[in-house]
Amino acid sequence: MPIAQKNWPLLRLTGIVLILSAILVAFAAWLWMTHLGSPPGSSSRGFPAGDPVGGTSSGDWPHLRGHRYDGVSEETGLVDSWPKEGPPVLWTREIGQGYSGFVVVDGKAYTQTQSLTGQSVLCLDAETGAEIWAHWYDWPWQPGSVYPGPFATPTYYQGKLYFAAPSGQVGCLDAATGREVWSLNVVKKFGGKGTEFGYASTPCVEGGEVILPVGGEDASIVALRAEDGTLLWNSGSDEASYCPAFPITFQGRRLIIGFLRNALMAIDFQSGQQLWRQQLSSNYDEHSAWPLYAEPNLWISFPFKAGSQLLRIDQHRDAMSARVVKVIPGLSNDIFSSVLVNGHVYGFDLQEFQAKAHRPSKGQFRCLEWSTGKVCWSTAEIGHANVLSADGKLLLFSDTGSLILARANPEHYEELARVQVLGGALCWTAPTLSRRRLFVRNQSQAACLYLGRPDDLRPDQLRTALSVTQIPKSKTADWISRVVPREREYPFDAPTRRELMLWFQLCTMGVFGSAAALAFLVHGLSRFRHLFPALVTQGVFWSSAFLFGLIGTSVFSEYWDTFVLTWPAALFVAYQVTTTVIAGIERQTERRKLRWLSRFVVLVFLGLCLGYYELCKMAGIVMGWTFLVGFLPASPFTLLVAWSQVKRKSFLVQLVCALLAFTVYFWSSGLFVGWKMGLAK
């Protein structure tokens, strides 16, 4: 037989393994490109008379935070309670991915969403939920990531709708038809920085200006002409964050507050002149929660258990400044903003370093005194919840989909009613109140609930209204907390060398060591060859190693009281078994039909990789996907393992080769995640 023909199965096998590894690396590279970021009294005093967001009436909700950018509604006539089945549900519909809220004007509800075909601005009939128009503006944003879809909420202003996409694209649409008026990418145009996780700033539109934090050189904040998107002014050079521009009025002068990555600044609304700047931090930081304002004091809340600060704005002749008058440790806001009602702040104090996307976040909902920061009351009964205020009440929409009605009472927590509205996905979108209709959504559904007296509805609306129990709810994956009993505090950070070493030791000694011990036990019984052939010994080792790798994350994390990741061991076993099966089939050159089996095995393995990625996503193990990149450098060693098995070398030789292959696989993946995070900073 010619040498080339003799070596053809080996060459074919090598090619298949390399192609399979390259596919996985390409998949991991795509994930890399889409995971560069970590993840995003009434305060109406001091505002001028009239409507800052033009062309709307008092019953409309034209901006994410309402007419006054404060989350406080002037509506009255809300019920004081509702029956066990909840308030009437006027409509519910599938809405798609995204964290964008609703704005409601003149009977139309607007939001942003995405499907597999792309991102869109939706216009719905506020009474029925029927689609009026949809405007496609971009391809999907990280559809398979932990935080998919658009983050910002559109803003209505004088018959136009202004939106922002995670890529930095900002546009203006005709609110009646959805026709595009203008569009540009502010991140690219101005060299924006600070929003690598995805641009999330809801446009601030008033006085004919669209004001946006961008974070570029000489463009921390920019103002565009609302009519055509041309630049009016640009100011500052600090990197941006996720909090939108916040307009306030100080001594009759309209200012823009920029709550940026490392600084707080005030800019003149008309000219863009920077009036004062306060340094907040120097390293990585992010700010998403809206400030609160009651002239002359400004309240800002930080994430990462950093508390809040109360600042006083002062005017000294021609100079304006801001100074910290109170440091308030009792309220740390991350992605949910607080409200100011009758001299008291109501909001959720996040008591962990980062809000979690796979389970309710830990903390207390609190009421604090505005002027002193004194905690009036705290409760764990509400959970992590968005809050808005109306009619002397608090409307609380928790991240588990519960709607809670409470009294805005600084003396004690007074709950009036509660009902589970949405389920199956965390609800991070702020609710919207318009004409006693509350609009809520999560990553799959939207619903409109009527919070006035049911008798005020038209007979046909009352007849067709649903109860909350009739809203379709998917099953919540609460089993994740049992599968992963411990968590990393910073899931977006690369694992430390100490973490990687612990994981590696437990994978090798705990997973493969236990599997080897069980296999050697079977091997010791090999004298009864009719019961335990060598093939069974190998099967016991690889199957038990796969099983131990799956359950090791739960068992070791619980025992060591820290997060331990052993799933890569199970993933490696699947890869090695796939390589071995292909090697065995490729040697059978005369049995070509078996090659369809090898293709099937490859498809099963790719399905396992996808399942691993989805499991990591559900469990909040954000950087776990990097263990998909180690297969390519480990492929020569997995071929060595396959060769030792096909040639029926001793089990000890096979075990040594397998540990060598896993070592290369594990550390090439672990070092990659550290290198990748170094480039992302």
Side-chain angles (χ1 to χ4, degrees), residues 342-627:
N342 296 326
H344 291 83
V345 177
Y346 297 87
F348 186 82
D349 179 35
L350 187 68
Q351 295 176 0
E352 54 188 335
F353 283 107
Q354 195 163 14
K356 297 297 188 288
H358 62 287
R359 61 151 176 81
S361 298
K362 301 172 185 176
Q364 299 273 325
F365 196 90
R366 288 180 167 166
C367 171
L368 297 88
E369 194 173 71
W370 166 261
S371 58
T372 65
K374 174 186 174 183
V375 176
C376 300
W377 53 258
S378 297
T379 178
E381 297 180 32
I382 295 173
H384 196 200
N386 265 301
V387 56
L388 62 84
S389 177
D391 198 19
K393 304 176 181 70
L394 303 176
L395 296 172
L396 305 151
F397 189 54
S398 76
D399 57 8
T400 57
S402 293
L403 176 63
I404 303 164
L405 183 68
R407 189 82 64 190
N409 185 349
E411 300 298 326
H412 58 87
Y413 173 58
E414 184 181 352
E415 186 171 306
L416 302 175
R418 177 191 294 251
V419 69
Q420 183 75 28
V421 178
L422 301 175
L426 283 186
C427 305
W428 280 3
T429 298
T432 292
L433 182 67
S434 175
R435 292 177 171 81
R436 302 171 190 166
R437 290 153 175 80
L438 190 75
F439 299 81
V440 296
R441 68 171 289 186
N442 60 16
Q443 284 278 345
S444 60
Q445 294 174 297
C448 174
L449 296 82
Y450 186 69
L451 301 186
R453 295 189 325 120
D455 293 344
D456 294 338
L457 289 171
R458 298 193 313 266
D460 62 307
Q461 290 179 309
L462 194 57
R463 185 173 57 255
T464 59
L466 305 173
S467 70
V468 170
T469 57
Q470 293 176 289
I471 299 178
K473 298 178 178 67
S474 59
K475 295 182 180 179
T476 305
D478 57 354
W479 52 269
I480 285 294
S481 60
R482 295 191 292 270
V483 174
V484 187
R486 299 293 182 270
E487 299 173 352
R488 302 182 68 228
E489 284 188 315
Y490 294 102
F492 285 96
D493 288 358
T496 63
R497 289 187 180 89
R498 186 174 181 178
E499 283 181 303
L500 287 173
M501 182 58 70
L502 176 63
W503 300 354
F504 177 72
Q505 290 173 345
L506 291 176
C507 283
T508 52
M509 293 186 290
V511 173
F512 291 110
S514 299
L518 185 59
F520 274 119
L521 178 62
V522 173
H523 191 70
L525 300 174
S526 60
R527 61 181 180 273
F528 306 107
R529 291 185 178 276
H530 61 287
L531 294 177
F532 300 105
L535 184 62
V536 173
T537 303
Q538 296 178 20
V540 168
F541 172 75
W542 291 110
S543 59
S544 59
F546 182 79
L547 177 62
F548 295 159
L550 286 182
I551 67 175
T553 294
S554 305
V555 175
F556 294 140
S557 295
E558 187 73 43
Y559 181 79
W560 289 84
D561 196 25
T562 188
F563 175 74
V564 174
L565 185 63
T566 62
W567 292 343
L571 199 61
F572 170 79
V573 169
Y575 181 70
Q576 182 61 68
V577 170
T578 300
T579 304
T580 301
V581 169
I582 294 174
I585 291 175
E586 289 301 320
R587 294 182 72 249
Q588 307 295 327
T589 55
E590 69 282 0
R591 302 179 64 182
R592 297 182 181 276
K593 291 183 178 180
L594 286 177
R595 291 176 182 171
W596 288 105
L597 177 60
S598 69
R599 295 180 178 90
F600 174 75
V601 171
V602 169
L603 290 177
V604 171
F605 173 67
L606 292 176
L608 285 174
C609 291
L610 182 60
Y612 166 79
Y613 170 69
E614 289 295 325
L615 184 59
C616 287
K617 185 174 71 173
M618 287 191 295
I621 308 172
V622 180
M623 303 312 299
W625 64 266
T626 56
F627 283 96

Side-chain angles (χ1 to χ4, degrees), residues 302-381:
F302 303 95
F304 311 135
K305 300 198 291 189
S308 300
Q309 290 181 2
L310 184 66
L311 298 91
R312 180 183 176 90
I313 304 175
D314 296 310
Q315 180 76 48
H316 303 283
R317 295 182 180 179
D318 295 332
M320 190 181 296
S321 63
R323 57 187 175 88
V324 178
V325 296
K326 194 73 178 178
V327 175
I328 304 159
L331 187 67
S332 297
N333 289 167
D334 186 9
I335 55 175
F336 291 174
S337 303
S338 302
V339 296
L340 171 60
V341 182
N342 296 326
H344 291 83
V345 177
Y346 297 87
F348 186 82
D349 179 35
L350 187 68
Q351 295 176 0
E352 54 188 335
F353 283 107
Q354 195 163 14
K356 297 297 188 288
H358 62 287
R359 61 151 176 81
S361 298
K362 301 172 185 176
Q364 299 273 325
F365 196 90
R366 288 180 167 166
C367 171
L368 297 88
E369 194 173 71
W370 166 261
S371 58
T372 65
K374 174 186 174 183
V375 176
C376 300
W377 53 258
S378 297
T379 178
E381 297 180 32

